[in-house]
Amino acid sequence: MERPAVDIPQTSAAPVRVAAPPTLLTPPAPPAPLAPAIGPRRRPLVDLLALIRPGQWVKNLAVVPLALLDPRHWTPFGVGRILWALAVFTLASAIVYVVNDLADRDRDRLHPTKRHRPLAAGRIGTRGALALAAVLATALTAAVTVHPFAQWWPVAVYLLISLGYSRGLKHVPLLDAFIVASGFVLRLAQGCVALDRPVPDWLAICVFSLCLLLSLGKRRHELTAAGLGHRPALRGYTLAFVDHLVVLIAGLTAMSYLLFLREDPVFAGAAHTTALLSALCAIFGLARYLQVLLVEEGGGNPVRILLRDRATLVNSALWAVLIGTALLLEASPA
């Protein structure tokens, strides 16, 4: 309710009317909506490339090749099958990104960062996005049909659950994060299926729990940075609830990784000791991520943390050296 104006006498003939200051009974003004982030329209190729998010393809590179941990598959045939698995999952994930952006373009306009995406900003229309999705789907169909269904069922399951995610499951608290994490287990399964090897149980649990941790960390960041309007599922989370969950899931991730190193036959003999040392890097990496998430209030983009955080980069390089040394020891004739 507006306060009546108060006349303040002046030396001039006409008094100046100034609004009285608000009291505690005056309701606060609603926040101003974010202005649409509409950029130049003369970069269609760049915007189409941004729509399929090449910066996120590192997720496939980080998970699918885990099937090559067994040195017996270090052959031209095995590497070729892994490259094929990477290609089909990259195409599938690109389709999912386009479909998700189509479904979320209105909500993305309310997000301080996502409003700059090509569809939310209006630089690409619905028809252009659908045409791109059709081209990607055609390429994916051509890539998978050269093999029997048993060789690419993880991609089919991934597309199925991603469709359910886009159609509404993304709005169900907890289930939204679990579906995202399950997609990475399917990436691992695709690599293993391509090489005709079973999926290591503890490695699958480790991948799932790690990706669930990253997904919950992203939800936590959105709670503090973007509010509840952008993602309806956030109404089922609180900061305290997410903080408890990330600590629990981080513990599960560390334990499942240790059990994988202990139970997997790849790491035996001299390779076992070297591989166990990598557990220190894994625990440090988890601790560093929790520090970024809970202390530095980051975590909105896990890929950026992996590629730009110096401590994470050094730790990841050391982890890769230890695992690589363990695999070389296992593969050596001695």
Side-chain angles (χ1 to χ4, degrees), residues 22-35:
T23 65
L24 294 177
L25 298 178
T26 305
L34 292 173

Side-chain angles (χ1 to χ4, degrees), residues 297-331:
E297 298 293 333
N301 190 338
V303 175
R304 181 173 298 179
I305 295 175
L306 177 64
L307 298 179
R308 297 188 181 183
D309 182 68
R310 291 183 179 179
T312 302
L313 285 172
V314 173
N315 182 68
S316 299
L318 181 58
W319 175 86
V321 168
L322 290 171
I323 291 296
T325 302
L327 293 175
L328 289 175
L329 288 173
E330 180 64 23

Side-chain angles (χ1 to χ4, degrees), residues 148-190:
F149 179 74
Q151 295 292 322
W152 52 272
W153 66 262
V155 172
V157 175
Y158 171 76
L159 289 173
L160 183 63
I161 66 172
S162 297
L163 177 62
Y165 182 85
S166 298
R167 297 287 293 177
L169 294 180
K170 67 173 68 177
H171 304 318
V172 182
L174 285 182
L175 185 60
D176 62 326
F178 273 70
I179 289 177
V180 172
S182 66
F184 291 91
V185 179
L186 290 170
R187 286 170 167 87
L188 172 64
Q190 180 60 67

Side-chain angles (χ1 to χ4, degrees), residues 259-307:
L259 289 173
F260 162 67
L261 295 179
R262 181 176 183 271
E263 300 293 336
D264 197 282
V266 171
F267 301 107
H272 180 69
T273 302
T274 306
L276 279 180
L277 291 176
S278 72
L280 299 177
C281 297
I283 295 173
F284 178 85
L286 290 170
R288 174 56 186 160
Y289 177 72
L290 292 179
Q291 184 182 41
V292 171
L293 182 66
L294 303 178
V295 179
E296 302 176 10
E297 298 293 333
N301 190 338
V303 175
R304 181 173 298 179
I305 295 175
L306 177 64
L307 298 179

